[in-house]
């Protein structure tokens, strides 16, 4: 294990996080276009819908880069004093977020370009809800570490070690 995250890992973390939040807040444009397509067989692509697709592909590419860095460089260990249950929960949440960073854009692309319409609900409802829940847990855990445990965990995502 390493002592901290690299500049690239930190930059990718925040970039992907911001892209995902943008997608969650402004992704409804794509939902309107999809409903129009589903109901009438045609749809007029809006700027918001194009942005949703482009930024979704960007999330996928950056998530793959993040995973490659994690596999080659590693990630820091949990702070000293972290219990076994907390470590397992943290690992599960992180790998769940990685899975969602891949599954969301892949299912969206399969629905829109692959014609696999049966994945539409999975993409726009189930995976979206899971993403919101895991992000909320991720933020809550980071704040808990920072303000309750006071173990400076947030510093690892602000200050690179390289």
């Amino acid at each position: 294990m390493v002592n901290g995250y690299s500049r690239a890992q930190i930059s990718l973390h925040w970039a992907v996080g911001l892209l995902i939040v943008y997608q969650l807040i402004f992704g409804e444009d794509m939902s309107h276009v999809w409903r129009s397509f589903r109901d009438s067989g045609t749809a007029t692509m809006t700027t918001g819908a194009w942005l949703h697709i482009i930024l979704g592909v960007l999330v996928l590419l950056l998530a793959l880069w993040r995973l490659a860095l994690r596999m080659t460089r590693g990630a820091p260990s949990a702070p000293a004093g972290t219990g076994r249950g907390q470590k397992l929960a943290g690992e599960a949440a992180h790998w769940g977020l990685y899975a969602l960073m891949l599954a969301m854009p892949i299912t969206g692309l399969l629905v829109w370009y692959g014609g696999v319409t049966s994945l539409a609900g999975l993409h726009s409802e189930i995976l979206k809800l899971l993403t919101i829940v895991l992000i909320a847990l991720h933020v809550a855990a980071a704040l808990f570490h920072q303000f309750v445990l006071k173990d400076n965990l947030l510093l690892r995502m602000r200050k690179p070690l390289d």
Side-chain angles (χ1 to χ4, degrees), residues 25-46:
I25 293 171
F26 298 107
E28 280 306 305
D29 244 16
M30 192 67 197
S31 296
H32 297 304
V33 171
W34 172 251
R35 279 192 290 279
S36 172
F37 177 76
R38 184 194 60 208
D39 296 343
S40 68
T42 62
T44 302
M45 289 297 286
T46 63

Side-chain angles (χ1 to χ4, degrees), residues 9 64-75 95 98:
Q9 286 173 303
L64 290 169
W65 187 6
R66 285 187 67 181
L67 277 168
L69 282 173
R70 186 174 179 119
M71 297 301 181
T72 57
R73 190 180 187 289
W95 288 111
Y98 278 115

Side-chain angles (χ1 to χ4, degrees), residues 82-100:
T82 303
R84 188 176 182 330
Q86 278 182 302
K87 286 180 187 176
L88 288 173
E91 283 293 312
H94 280 104
W95 288 111
L97 284 167
Y98 278 115
L100 288 165

Side-chain angles (χ1 to χ4, degrees), residues 15 30 36 59 63 77 79 82 114 130 150 153:
M30 192 67 197
S36 172
V59 166
S77 300
T82 303
L130 284 173
K150 299 181 186 203
L153 183 83

